[in-house]
Amino acid sequence: MAEISILTESELRQCVRLTKEVTDVIAAAFARLAQGGVVMPPVLSMELPQVNGEVDVKTAYVPGMDNFAIKVSPGFFNNPLKGLPSLNGLMVALSAETGIVSAVLLDNGYLTDIRTAAAGGVAARFMAPQRVETAGMIGTGLQARLQAQALLLERNVEHLLVWGRDAARARQYADEQTQVLGIPVSVADSAEALVKASQVVITTTPAKEPVIDADWLHPGLHITAMGCDSPEKNEIDPRVLVQADLVAVDRVSQSLERGEMRTAVKAGLIDADSILPELPAISAGLVPGRHSEEQITLCDLTGTGVQDTAIADLALRIARQKGLGTLIES
Amino acid sequence: MAEISILTESELRQCVRLTKEVTDVIAAAFARLAQGGVVMPPVLSMELPQVNGEVDVKTAYVPGMDNFAIKVSPGFFNNPLKGLPSLNGLMVALSAETGIVSAVLLDNGYLTDIRTAAAGGVAARFMAPQRVETAGMIGTGLQARLQAQALLLERNVEHLLVWGRDAARARQYADEQTQVLGIPVSVADSAEALVKASQVVITTTPAKEPVIDADWLHPGLHITAMGCDSPEKNEIDPRVLVQADLVAVDRVSQSLERGEMRTAVKAGLIDADSILPELPAISAGLVPGRHSEEQITLCDLTGTGVQDTAIADLALRIARQKGLGTLIES
């Protein structure tokens, strides 16, 4: 008989919010990944075309953490027609010593949202120019909101531009985020205008064709591309991967399979055995990040199991302190 | 907000036991797999040598079933030193329509034990000779117990032999199972004597070297090898795979990676692109099973996600009928 803690989304929201401390936790987890000892198998991916769905399972074992998480992320894209969110899921926490289930985190994808945004924060920390007058957000969904918050924890952005295919949603984003972020947010005339005016651009779309053209690059630009996380997606003109001064990814194997490297390999612009620097190695100080304000940099994020284990570990520690969760004997 | 049912091991034990109906459910799930439409990705496997552990994640989407399961199976082999079981885990059931978590089955591996034994029952149903006077069990653990029960649901076995490396455990098995099964169970002098005397032999060991030699084969013998489910294991002399009249596996891709086909390929006895008949196709009637009492047959079982989804679906239906489970809003 083991005692298992069941935590609901509302309880987990009381434990973890997007703060600089959470970005620190994700940066530290990335550093651990680079330093060795972490076991992170390839993503288990299941495509379900018959229901317009997909499921990804991610995990990583991080020595020294009490638990490791196995994260189940379903995306069922007909759900909005039924009034339900597309993305859902949970995390299972297993004891790092015994493998016994210690907790089930019924977060409906909330912790994934937070750890994804925090990885954007880490990318900004090490790769954005120090001075960011204008930042640009491409996309108008939940990650467009969270990534802006994560960026503002790292840089004193003065003005945010937004662009999305749906002008009404972009307008709504601008109005709402001007209040939320406390800086002016305005709608850009085009993705091109947004990129040209910004020192940091974040792409948060499910695009299958590039939303950023290599011709728009300019000195001192950093791009974080976090939307592309499956083999049919692509946000960045593959020429950016060869034209930028520094291109980093969260995990080379994943970027090759499901990130922006995939398209660049397909276009014949980079080799399939290319070893790009990884954000984890940059976080660990093993590889340099940006080293001048003039560099053009790109960071491609596909989402890694080590982020899931780190955020689950954090949430469980805080939940225990707060006495949250329902204990089940099994 | 979704309502999620949390089921404990003791509740699940009230819902599912090893019966002929459960073997029917697993046979039907195998047949569905062979008939197409099922999505079953490769196993996610994580080796954790630093803690003498491993974790497998299996899943399958079966059209027509209300839910699909994602099964997490940790094996931490230092646990017995701490008075804990090596094998644990849970299943997560997701709605087949929306991907939303519908239930968490905290079974500590119980449902895996049952669906594994039931697959042995399916193998016996289609591949064992009709008349089984003597059956032999190699191994003395939990599956050695459950596989004997599953076999007896399919054939009127008159006498069971057992053999294990630990003579005391074999003796204990024989004494106990004579009571449980209601037929005489005796300890064989050797694995060789057991195989030569039996019409059905089931291997249930974590062996890394063969426990059955091809020289012991004889007409009318069926072997079910269920112990080998990871790349370092091997129960069957690889020559058996070429000398037997009919060799089937639960899933060719898995047997090549983590089953008995792996060793036979390594020994150069079969090709890596060998297409052996699959038990699912035999269950569906698409491929013949045993067609004479004299054939020598082998079935290699590695354990498949479709079994997990089928047993979870069954358990959930019965739990709902019985009103079992704790509902959590999340």
Side-chain angles (χ1 to χ4, degrees):
Chain A
M1 297 282 279
E3 201 162 64
I4 297 168
S5 176
I6 310 290
L7 287 153
T8 65
E9 180 183 342
S10 66
E11 289 171 324
L12 292 163
R13 283 180 182 270
Q14 295 171 50
C15 296
V16 176
R17 287 173 199 208
L18 184 53
T19 60
K20 191 141 184 171
E21 288 66 38
V22 168
T23 304
D24 292 344
V25 164
I26 298 301
F30 277 149
R32 293 292 307 275
L33 180 60
Q35 287 154 349
V38 170
V39 180
M40 191 167 82
V43 180
L44 181 157
S45 229
M46 177 157 62
E47 297 294 323
L48 303 170
Q50 59 267 66
V51 287
N52 195 17
E54 62 185 28
V55 184
D56 280 353
V57 180
K58 293 181 179 177
T59 183
Y61 185 93
V62 183
M65 289 193 183
D66 291 343
N67 294 281
F68 62 105
I70 296 182
K71 196 264 296 278
V72 176
S73 286
F76 277 58
F77 303 104
N78 295 343
N79 281 2
L81 303 174
K82 303 168 191 160
L84 297 170
S86 295
L87 303 179
N88 283 285
L90 55 59
M91 295 188 185
V92 178
L94 308 180
S95 158
E97 283 302 313
T98 65
I100 294 175
V101 178
S102 53
V104 180
L105 291 70
L106 299 169
D107 72 324
N108 301 320
Y110 171 71
L111 294 176
T112 296
D113 294 335
I114 297 298
R115 67 74 150 148
T116 301
V122 176
R125 183 176 295 180
F126 294 107
M127 297 184 70
Q130 288 306 313
R131 188 168 144 72
V132 182
E133 207 172 274
T134 302
M137 187 65 60
I138 298 186
T140 57
L142 178 59
Q143 274 298 315
R145 288 163 167 78
L146 293 173
Q147 291 285 344
Q149 290 178 41
L151 175 61
L152 265 63
L153 293 170
E154 302 297 324
R155 293 293 187 272
N156 292 315
V157 179
E158 292 171 26
H159 180 215
L160 184 68
L161 294 171
V162 63
W163 184 82
R165 283 174 309 173
D166 182 330
R169 291 193 65 189
R171 165 59 41 212
Q172 189 193 353
Y173 178 99
D175 292 347
E176 174 202 296
Q177 293 298 302
T178 296
Q179 302 304 316
V180 171
L181 300 173
I183 60 168
V185 181
S186 51
V187 178
D189 289 338
S190 65
E192 180 174 357
L194 177 146
V195 172
K196 287 184 170 171
S198 299
Q199 292 82 55
V200 169
V201 173
I202 304 174
T203 60
T204 64
T205 76
K208 296 179 180 180
E209 301 288 337
V211 293
I212 290 190
D213 193 288
D215 293 338
W216 308 341
L217 299 180
H218 54 84
L221 173 66
H222 170 73
I223 302 167
T224 294
M226 61 67 50
C228 170
D229 61 351
S230 68
E232 74 286 357
K233 294 185 191 165
N234 171 217
E235 293 190 292
I236 306 297
D237 178 348
R239 292 180 300 149
V240 173
L241 277 79
V242 284
Q243 292 182 20
D245 299 305
L246 173 63
V247 179
V249 300
D250 54 2
R251 188 73 163 173
V252 167
S253 54
Q254 291 190 189
S255 186
L256 281 167
E257 184 186 277
R258 52 181 58 235
E260 298 295 345
M261 288 179 74
R262 193 190 63 82
T263 322
V265 168
K266 207 174 150 200
L269 294 171
I270 64 171
D271 288 336
D273 56 359
S274 297
I275 306 293
L276 294 185
E278 292 186 331
L279 184 60
I282 294 172
S283 304
L286 301 173
V287 168
R290 170 179 293 268
H291 51 73
S292 91
E293 289 290 281
E294 294 305 302
Q295 280 185 304
I296 299 174
T297 56
L298 168 69
C299 187
D300 176 35
L301 301 176
T302 55
T304 60
V306 76
Q307 295 163 252
D308 297 315
T309 286
I311 198 97
D313 180 73
L314 177 68
L316 282 180
R317 272 187 288 122
I318 298 174
R320 206 158 292 143
Q321 282 162 18
K322 290 183 183 278
L324 292 171
T326 303
L327 289 177
I328 301 256
E329 290 278 346
S330 193
Chain B
M1 297 282 281
E3 202 162 64
I4 297 168
S5 177
I6 310 288
L7 288 154
T8 64
E9 179 182 343
S10 67
E11 288 169 326
L12 291 162
R13 283 180 182 271
Q14 295 172 51
C15 296
V16 177
R17 288 175 199 207
L18 184 55
T19 60
K20 191 142 186 170
E21 288 66 37
V22 168
T23 304
D24 292 344
V25 164
I26 297 302
F30 277 149
R32 293 293 305 275
L33 179 60
Q35 286 153 351
V38 171
V39 181
M40 191 167 80
V43 180
L44 181 158
S45 229
M46 177 157 62
E47 296 293 324
L48 301 170
Q50 59 266 66
V51 287
N52 195 17
E54 64 187 27
V55 184
D56 279 354
V57 181
K58 293 180 179 179
T59 183
Y61 185 94
V62 183
M65 288 193 183
D66 291 343
N67 294 282
F68 61 105
I70 296 183
K71 196 263 298 276
V72 175
S73 286
F76 277 58
F77 303 103
N78 295 343
N79 281 2
L81 303 173
K82 304 168 190 160
L84 298 169
S86 294
L87 302 179
N88 283 285
L90 54 60
M91 296 187 185
V92 177
L94 308 180
S95 157
E97 283 303 314
T98 66
I100 293 175
V101 177
S102 54
V104 180
L105 291 72
L106 299 169
D107 71 326
N108 301 321
Y110 171 70
L111 294 176
T112 296
D113 294 335
I114 297 299
R115 66 74 150 149
T116 301
V122 176
R125 183 175 295 180
F126 294 106
M127 298 184 68
Q130 288 306 314
R131 187 169 146 70
V132 182
E133 206 172 275
T134 301
M137 187 65 60
I138 298 186
T140 57
L142 178 59
Q143 274 298 317
R145 289 163 167 77
L146 292 173
Q147 292 284 344
Q149 290 179 41
L151 174 62
L152 266 63
L153 294 169
E154 303 297 322
R155 294 292 187 273
N156 292 316
V157 178
E158 292 172 25
H159 179 216
L160 184 68
L161 294 171
V162 62
W163 183 82
R165 283 173 310 172
D166 183 328
R169 291 193 65 189
R171 165 59 42 214
Q172 190 193 352
Y173 178 99
D175 291 348
E176 175 204 294
Q177 293 299 303
T178 297
Q179 302 304 316
V180 170
L181 301 174
I183 59 168
V185 181
S186 52
V187 178
D189 290 338
S190 64
E192 178 175 356
L194 176 147
V195 172
K196 289 185 170 170
S198 299
Q199 292 83 54
V200 170
V201 173
I202 303 174
T203 60
T204 64
T205 76
K208 297 179 180 180
E209 301 287 337
V211 293
I212 290 189
D213 193 288
D215 293 339
W216 308 341
L217 299 180
H218 54 84
L221 173 66
H222 169 72
I223 302 168
T224 294
M226 61 69 50
C228 171
D229 61 352
S230 68
E232 75 285 358
K233 294 183 191 168
N234 170 219
E235 292 189 292
I236 305 297
D237 179 347
R239 293 180 299 151
V240 173
L241 276 80
V242 283
Q243 292 182 20
D245 299 304
L246 171 65
V247 178
V249 300
D250 54 3
R251 189 74 163 171
V252 167
S253 55
Q254 292 190 188
S255 186
L256 280 167
E257 184 187 276
R258 52 181 60 237
E260 298 295 345
M261 287 178 75
R262 192 190 64 83
T263 321
V265 169
K266 207 175 150 201
L269 293 171
I270 63 172
D271 288 335
D273 55 0
S274 298
I275 305 292
L276 294 185
E278 292 186 331
L279 184 59
I282 295 172
S283 303
L286 302 173
V287 167
R290 170 180 293 268
H291 52 75
S292 89
E293 289 290 280
E294 295 303 301
Q295 279 186 303
I296 299 173
T297 57
L298 167 69
C299 186
D300 177 34
L301 300 176
T302 56
T304 62
V306 76
Q307 295 162 253
D308 297 315
T309 285
I311 198 99
D313 180 74
L314 176 69
L316 282 179
R317 274 188 286 122
I318 298 174
R320 207 158 291 146
Q321 284 163 17
K322 290 182 182 278
L324 291 172
T326 303
L327 288 178
I328 301 257
E329 290 278 346
S330 191

